[in-house]
Amino acid sequence: MNTPQARLSIAERKHFLKKLLLEIEIKEDAICKALFKDFKKPAFEAVLTETYYVKSVIKELLENLESWTKPKRVLPSLLNFPSSDYILKEPYGSVLVIAPWNYPFQLALCPAIAAFAAGNRVTIKPSEHTPTTSTSIAELIGRVFSKEWIEVIEGDATVAQELLTKRWDYIFFTGSVAVGKIVAQAAAVNLTPTTLELGGKNPCIVHHSAAIALTAKRIVWGKFINAGQTCIAPDYVLVDAKIKDQFIRTLQIEIENAYGPNAAQSPDYTRIVNTKHTNRLIATLDNQTILYGGQYDAEDCYLSPTLVDEPELSSAVMQDEIFGPILPIISYQNEAEIEAIVARYEKPLALYVFATDKKFSKKITSQFSFGGGCINDTVIQFNNKRLPFGGVGHSGYGAYHGKFSIDTFLHHKSMVRKANWLDLPLRYAPYKNKLVLVQKLLRWM
């Protein structure tokens, strides 16, 4: 199907983006309350990782949309002389955004806003696991956009499955690897281009040269923010055996510095999204040596920050992405052991290495394939919109953030405008007596 599609001008798109920004600012408190109702996300985290982030994306688009979408001139080929060559950037058309529940506001709106800003029509399928936030998104979008431009369709997995049977010009999915494969299969039916933002078992490697106190503090923050329900959270720690005991003691101190001796009473500690996921996480602790934490209340969807000591790599906690507040600690004696463990798993979305030894850090980040990461911190690669955010292999494909988001939702159309004032006969048949001259020209080029 290649039918012409109506498009909004850049000025019209910016008008709607400004309206959306104003609505978010007006409704920010209500959005934060919705996030708290769904899984007790603290207001600080709701603002920092959800509403503020979305507002910053809108402001960046308002500032840069013209320059990011304008045609780009490129040097012409001498073989085409005389010509002017350029790249036109055109929206794909209709875009489906399927959003997850862990950051339900941000991960629904950020790709949808970018797709709209690029000139597409957008359908958002928010997660049914955070129903209050999903309804807030639907109401927010409904106040700003007509369904012709952005529509929110709520519902469970069957609704998502039904949407995937329709023909789209682009699909953007954030979620698990298992569902990502389903989305990819559905998209393949119509050869629909797709971005998959997935996850994986993100390793966090702590070298003996690491600044232990600061390392522990930053790992605790990156792991237990949003109760570990973050696709780029450290999934397990590989720590040099020489510093393991000291490192574990420091982790425990930093957990209590953040959430007190009983995280259930902390106003700053999120809950697991539902009882199903809570029970899944609890089950992974069976037959494990728990160094710290392990307390839970399934009815409250609560699982305390938990440290697990030297789990078997074949155990449940080390099979799939944990996606919760459980941090396995595994010691290593040498770099060969690091390689053997990391290589057991598919390419992760993130990798973290803590070391003041720059040679070690460089070797680790060069040796393994992963979506993105940090040296001496966790998670913060997400915050720089000048960096592409995306996976590799089973952790996904495609990237977004900043200009990369606009590029994701635009087809880059190659164009050559050939002049008529000169038309060299060399390329045309008959080719008799032309080959030697062409070969000389090609060597010169």
Side-chain angles (χ1 to χ4, degrees):
M1 306 263 314
N2 193 14
T3 55
Q5 296 177 334
R7 299 175 188 170
L8 293 174
S9 68
I10 289 178
E12 289 171 320
R13 286 175 246 161
K14 290 177 70 173
H15 167 74
F16 284 112
L17 290 175
K18 289 175 183 177
K19 286 185 65 177
L20 179 61
L21 178 61
L22 179 60
E23 281 293 326
I24 294 173
E25 289 176 340
I26 292 171
K27 299 294 183 180
E28 187 165 31
D29 185 59
I31 295 165
C32 291
K33 288 178 179 176
L35 289 161
F36 184 83
K37 184 175 181 180
D38 280 333
F39 55 133
K40 294 187 178 179
K41 180 171 287 198
F44 181 89
E45 290 185 14
V47 170
L48 183 67
T49 66
E50 304 258 18
T51 57
Y52 166 78
Y53 194 89
V54 173
K55 290 192 294 182
S56 72
V57 166
I58 297 173
K59 291 174 183 177
E60 186 179 42
L61 287 169
L62 289 171
E63 184 177 348
N64 296 289
L65 190 56
E66 285 91 350
S67 63
W68 287 351
T69 57
K70 70 180 181 181
K72 180 181 179 181
R73 292 289 296 268
V74 299
L75 287 174
S77 167
L78 287 175
L79 291 172
N80 292 337
F81 181 82
S83 72
S84 58
D85 297 16
Y86 51 97
I87 300 169
L88 288 179
K89 301 176 183 181
E90 66 175 15
Y92 281 99
S94 60
V95 174
L96 173 64
V97 174
I98 302 178
W101 50 261
N102 57 326
Y103 293 89
F105 187 76
Q106 182 226 125
L107 293 179
L109 286 187
C110 285
I113 290 166
F116 170 79
N120 300 281
R121 293 173 298 175
V122 185
T123 297
I124 304 172
K125 166 59 180 73
S127 174
E128 69 274 19
H129 297 305
T130 47
T132 313
T133 305
S134 294
T135 299
S136 295
I137 292 170
E139 292 173 351
L140 178 74
I141 293 298
R143 284 192 293 269
V144 177
F145 301 94
S146 71
K147 291 183 178 181
E148 180 183 5
W149 302 115
I150 302 185
E151 182 179 14
V152 178
I153 298 179
E154 297 182 83
D156 60 13
T158 59
V159 173
Q161 291 167 358
E162 174 63 25
L163 287 170
L164 287 172
T165 65
K166 301 180 183 298
R167 185 163 183 175
W168 305 92
D169 297 305
Y170 203 99
I171 298 174
F172 190 103
F173 170 79
T174 306
S176 69
V177 174
V179 180
K181 291 179 180 180
I182 295 171
V183 172
Q185 289 175 340
V189 173
N190 291 309
L191 301 179
T192 303
T194 307
T195 292
L196 299 180
E197 294 291 345
L198 309 178
K201 292 197 75 65
N202 306 319
C204 185
I205 301 163
V206 181
H207 189 249
H208 63 78
S209 69
I212 293 179
L214 189 57
T215 295
K217 187 175 187 177
R218 290 175 174 176
I219 291 175
V220 165
W221 176 78
K223 175 61 179 180
F224 298 113
I225 190 172
N226 208 41
Q229 298 166 115
T230 304
C231 60
I232 52 175
D235 194 87
Y236 63 99
V237 171
L238 297 174
V239 60
D240 191 310
K242 293 190 291 290
I243 62 167
K244 178 188 173 185
D245 291 343
Q246 182 185 1
F247 174 68
I248 289 171
R249 289 194 299 270
T250 312
L251 280 177
Q252 294 172 354
I253 291 169
E254 291 300 336
I255 290 172
E256 296 198 0
N257 284 344
Y259 305 111
N262 182 1
Q265 297 176 355
S266 171
D268 302 320
Y269 190 66
T270 308
R271 294 303 185 262
I272 310 304
V273 70
N274 55 37
T275 54
K276 178 182 176 181
H277 284 277
T278 306
N279 288 326
R280 174 188 64 82
L281 290 166
I282 293 168
T284 65
L285 297 176
D286 288 347
N287 302 314
Q288 296 294 346
T289 301
I290 296 176
L291 295 168
Y292 182 88
Q295 297 82 22
Y296 61 86
D297 180 346
E299 290 186 4
D300 188 36
C301 295
Y302 169 75
L303 176 60
S304 66
T306 301
L307 306 179
V308 173
D309 188 35
E310 303 289 352
E312 293 290 337
L313 299 183
S314 59
S315 64
V317 79
M318 292 302 296
Q319 288 302 298
D320 298 312
E321 182 180 11
I322 295 170
F323 221 68
I326 301 170
L327 185 61
I329 311 293
I330 302 171
S331 60
Y332 69 86
Q333 301 286 343
N334 52 57
E335 293 180 20
E337 291 182 1
I338 297 175
E339 181 177 357
I341 294 172
V342 175
R344 285 178 60 97
Y345 303 103
E346 297 289 347
K347 298 173 182 178
L349 185 57
L351 180 146
Y352 306 108
V353 55
F354 285 82
T356 57
D357 183 333
K358 293 182 180 180
K359 183 178 179 181
F360 176 82
S361 298
K362 183 177 181 180
K363 181 177 181 180
I364 292 294
T365 55
S366 301
Q367 183 177 10
F368 299 110
S369 180
F370 53 95
C374 300
I375 297 171
N376 295 326
D377 212 333
T378 62
V379 177
I380 61 169
Q381 71 272 23
F382 189 91
N383 295 331
N384 187 349
K385 291 187 283 291
R386 288 175 289 276
L387 292 173
F389 180 81
V392 59
H394 279 224
S395 58
Y397 48 76
Y400 73 127
H401 285 189
K403 184 177 182 295
F404 300 101
S405 293
I406 292 297
D407 288 341
T408 288
F409 293 110
L410 290 173
H411 167 60
H412 291 217
K413 182 189 290 184
S414 302
M415 294 296 300
V416 176
R417 182 187 296 276
K418 189 66 183 290
N420 290 335
W421 59 268
L422 178 65
D423 192 35
L424 297 175
L426 189 61
R427 65 171 169 159
Y428 298 108
Y431 302 126
K432 185 178 179 181
N433 300 324
K434 293 181 178 179
L435 179 59
V436 173
L437 177 57
V438 165
Q439 288 172 329
K440 288 181 179 179
L441 287 172
L442 291 175
R443 283 196 296 270
W444 180 71
M445 289 179 186

